[in-house]
Amino acid sequence: MSKRELLDLLLENARYSTADLARMTDLDEDEVVATVEALESEGVIKGYQAVVDWNKVAEERVRASVELNVTLDRETSYGDIAERLAKFPQVTTLRLVSGDYDFEMEVEGESMQEVSKFISDKVAPVPEITQTVTHYVMDTYKDRGLQMSDGDDDDRLSVSP
Amino acid sequence: MKVSDRVEEVPPSGIRKFFELAEEMDDVISLGVGEPDFSAPWAAREAAIASLEQGKTSYTANRGRKDLREEISAHVAERYGLEYDPDDEIIVTTGVSEGVDVALRALIDPGDVVAVPQPSYVSYEPGITFAGGEPLPVPTSDDEFKLTVEGLERAGAADADALLYCYPNNPTGAIMTEDDLRPVAAFAREHDLTVFADEIYSELTYGHEHTSIATLPGMRERTVVFNGFSKAFAMTGLRLGYALAPPEAVAGMNRIHQYSMLSAPTTAQYAAIEALRNCEEEVAEMIGQYDRRRQFVLSRFDEMGIDCFEAEGAFYVFPEAPGGDDEAFAEALLQEHGVAVVPGSVFGEDGEGHLRVSYATGLDDLREAMDRIETFVE
């Protein structure tokens, strides 16, 4: 059994019980616990999160995808800028990317005003940042591999040959 | 209006009763389904949609599109070492069901005896009867649901004209390895049996590579191999299968096929070409999921103390019915706990005392169903 197999199962559903994981991988429960603990302590597993369809929650939740361009100097690297930005709790995802811009940043807030204010007050003033382009998320159809629609009713015959 | 004696002779499928019972109830978790719970890979569906958009709605060649037959030829050569000429040794059919039907009608004469391992897929014996043949059940429950020479001899298959089987097996999940097949092949050669090998579950084996009997010495010329897209590619509703056989057999099958079906569904043929070319990863992902569920289900039955044959193929396990009466157990389980499984006796007398449990169902439902079975058994 590979660590990869356990990781695949946890990616599929991090709430599988230890007993279920053991049954599916033909391992002892003790081995599952030990392997998952090792993966956690090695930092391979960074954490466990729910994938939420915010459309079904009454509270407003605003997400934006922000393109950032930066200029570097002798003292400042991409890593330095990323470290500074990643510390903001509003930033949920931050990646250095190739192409027309340097960083791709996802930001969450309670309202458009809050997100806008965060970009203008906290992000844009960072000296190395030369440009920000903010795209508000209008709807989410798929997130981390999970589709948000409910079109997966099982309409097979209940008993078939 | 009078129905023919040939049709009257065949009783209605035993599955029907359970289907009707399950349909009447709410909150049923069904482990009675003989088809994948996945959808066909998106690329295959997209190819089907594109073919419709382009107006490709005509008949195809009777034997199926040439490019599809070429893909099938390349696929079976690479996967199973089966070398068949796309021009005259492959025919594309409307599911394996049609393939088996036309093969039996093309190659069986009235009164011919066709040996069929039991328990077996529900359509085989009626299909033999409709073709004018006589089914000869070969019990396998004493041989871990595998065909053996001893079992064939006990059943009198040495005097039969043909052998029709499905491995990996529906309903037991048993497989036949190359070592298992060799003596059966020798038996078929010795007694001059035509072999109909339904290999629709060939992709769904766990821990073993599938071997086709047609690859064994002296077998290609006496074997019709059936396969298709329903199980591995989750394309049951597209109704597409194929048969591989020597030219004279394919020509005979095609003669019936061209007068009855004309050609298999065109849209499905486009989906199938794409499935063979570009959907290997999706198939591997589905097989991985089935294998995890298989281990889950086997492990739960083991914990409950229910004897369950260690199925290594298809997506079924075949545990013993606690108490021994499979029909009574399945009916009570359905009515009292809302879990549908299929009684083994539906698949022939030798399936009595067992249950077919399909794990082509999501893990959450499987867990809930197994919990309910555990409560019922306790």
Side-chain angles (χ1 to χ4, degrees):
Chain A
M1 199 284 310
S2 66
K3 289 180 177 177
R4 176 62 194 259
E5 192 181 358
L6 265 185
L7 287 171
D8 282 342
L9 284 167
L10 290 171
L11 272 174
E12 182 181 287
N13 183 353
R15 293 194 56 168
Y16 282 146
S17 68
T18 303
D20 285 354
L21 289 170
R23 289 187 187 105
M24 285 187 281
T25 54
D26 212 14
L27 288 175
D28 292 339
E29 286 192 41
D30 291 347
E31 287 175 273
V32 172
V33 171
T35 310
V36 173
E37 278 177 2
L39 288 165
E40 287 169 354
S41 65
E42 289 160 15
V44 176
I45 295 176
K46 295 294 208 181
Y48 303 90
Q49 290 187 334
V51 178
V52 177
D53 186 350
W54 287 105
N55 287 332
K56 293 187 175 161
V57 182
E59 298 160 39
E60 196 181 3
R61 190 91 180 171
V62 174
R63 276 172 160 186
S65 169
V66 187
E67 302 170 5
L68 299 177
N69 269 310
V70 301
T71 51
L72 302 181
D73 57 39
R74 283 173 196 278
E75 279 77 40
T76 317
S77 66
Y78 284 125
D80 295 329
I81 302 168
E83 200 176 346
R84 183 168 173 184
L85 292 171
K87 287 204 168 77
F88 290 112
Q90 292 90 336
V91 176
T92 56
T93 305
L94 180 65
R95 298 187 179 97
L96 182 66
V97 295
S98 64
D100 291 341
Y101 50 95
D102 300 309
F103 286 102
E104 171 189 282
M105 183 170 81
E106 282 175 27
V107 177
E108 271 187 22
E110 308 250 316
S111 65
M112 282 177 78
Q113 194 189 13
E114 186 186 302
V115 171
S116 302
K117 198 164 164 26
F118 168 67
I119 305 292
S120 58
D121 290 0
K122 304 289 184 191
V123 179
V126 172
E128 293 83 3
I129 290 177
T130 56
Q131 188 188 30
T132 70
V133 179
T134 305
H135 305 274
Y136 283 101
V137 173
M138 297 167 70
D139 208 345
T140 301
Y141 302 105
K142 190 172 183 181
D143 192 1
R144 282 173 281 171
L146 295 181
Q147 279 186 263
M148 298 292 134
S149 62
D150 289 331
D152 54 358
D153 287 342
D154 189 349
D155 59 356
R156 294 176 298 164
L157 295 178
S158 51
V159 177
S160 65
Chain B
M1 191 178 287
K2 183 184 173 298
V3 175
S4 78
D5 296 342
R6 204 171 56 254
V7 172
E8 285 288 2
E9 194 185 322
V10 173
S13 167
I15 283 184
R16 179 144 198 91
K17 177 181 159 192
F18 275 83
F19 170 69
E20 282 167 359
L21 269 175
E23 287 300 289
E24 285 168 11
M25 297 174 58
D26 295 328
D27 188 32
V28 170
I29 300 178
S30 182
L31 308 183
V33 273
E35 63 176 319
D37 57 323
F38 302 103
S39 295
W42 174 243
R45 283 184 275 160
E46 177 68 29
I49 294 165
S51 76
L52 288 172
E53 283 173 343
Q54 290 158 16
K56 293 174 176 168
T57 53
S58 316
Y59 296 128
T60 68
N62 293 134
R63 293 178 183 199
R65 282 186 62 85
K66 182 145 195 248
D67 48 0
L68 173 57
R69 281 181 277 133
E70 284 168 352
E71 286 296 334
I72 290 168
S73 175
H75 175 74
V76 297
E78 189 194 325
R79 290 287 293 126
Y80 309 117
L82 292 164
E83 303 284 343
Y84 285 89
D85 186 335
D87 284 336
D88 58 3
E89 294 186 316
I90 297 176
I91 179 169
V92 177
T93 54
T94 306
V96 167
S97 299
E98 194 230 357
V100 172
D101 181 44
V102 295
L104 287 169
R105 287 197 278 155
L107 303 173
I108 293 297
D109 280 316
D112 277 1
V113 173
V114 183
V116 183
Q118 262 201 9
S120 83
Y121 178 57
V122 294
S123 298
Y124 295 153
E125 294 193 14
I128 294 163
T129 306
F130 292 143
E134 287 175 20
L136 173 73
V138 180
T140 60
S141 59
D142 292 339
D143 300 310
E144 297 188 309
F145 302 114
K146 290 171 190 270
L147 269 179
T148 62
V149 168
E150 297 71 30
L152 285 162
E153 278 171 349
R154 270 198 308 270
D159 296 326
D161 300 287
L163 168 65
L164 163 58
Y165 69 70
C166 171
Y167 285 101
N169 183 257
N170 174 9
T172 63
I175 62 167
M176 293 280 285
T177 64
E178 187 173 339
D179 286 346
D180 297 327
L181 283 172
R182 280 188 183 281
V184 172
F187 182 90
R189 287 194 302 272
E190 186 187 342
H191 299 288
D192 196 21
L193 302 184
T194 298
V195 176
F196 300 101
D198 180 350
E199 302 183 359
I200 185 66
Y201 292 99
S202 60
E203 289 288 318
L204 306 181
T205 57
Y206 313 104
H208 295 273
E209 284 293 314
H210 174 75
T211 300
S212 174
I213 197 166
T215 58
L216 301 182
M219 291 309 293
R220 189 184 186 282
E221 54 267 41
R222 62 175 63 253
T223 302
V224 182
V225 176
F226 305 97
N227 212 321
F229 299 86
S230 292
K231 310 299 178 178
F233 295 100
M235 283 167 49
T236 45
L238 278 82
R239 311 303 311 125
L240 208 68
Y242 54 87
L244 315 168
E248 64 279 10
V250 166
M253 291 167 67
N254 193 43
R255 207 169 306 164
I256 300 173
H257 173 78
Q258 73 186 358
Y259 287 123
S260 56
M261 208 57 76
L262 285 91
S263 61
T266 301
T267 310
Q269 294 189 45
Y270 282 101
I273 292 167
E274 183 65 20
L276 289 176
R277 284 183 187 159
N278 292 314
C279 297
E280 206 172 313
E281 272 182 36
E282 285 88 341
V283 173
E285 170 62 26
M286 289 190 260
I287 294 168
Q289 296 260 13
Y290 289 135
D291 193 17
R292 289 167 192 154
R293 297 173 189 176
R294 178 184 72 101
Q295 299 198 51
F296 176 84
V297 170
L298 286 171
S299 156
R300 287 295 303 265
F301 278 127
D302 185 47
E303 286 164 16
M304 289 178 217
I306 294 177
D307 272 343
C308 186
F309 164 71
E310 174 117 18
E312 292 176 304
F315 36 60
Y316 311 105
V317 294
F318 205 60
E320 287 185 10
D325 185 338
D326 55 309
E327 282 225 22
F329 182 91
E331 203 167 324
L333 179 65
L334 178 59
Q335 287 182 333
E336 293 169 31
H337 295 271
V339 177
V341 298
V342 185
S345 47
V346 161
F347 305 98
E349 271 177 38
D350 202 45
E352 273 175 19
H354 290 84
L355 305 165
R356 188 189 76 176
V357 176
S358 161
Y359 48 86
T361 292
L363 197 79
D364 289 342
D365 275 349
L366 269 183
R367 187 192 298 107
E368 172 65 24
M370 298 308 284
D371 287 348
R372 291 187 194 182
I373 293 173
E374 191 166 23
T375 308
F376 180 50
V377 171
E378 281 170 357

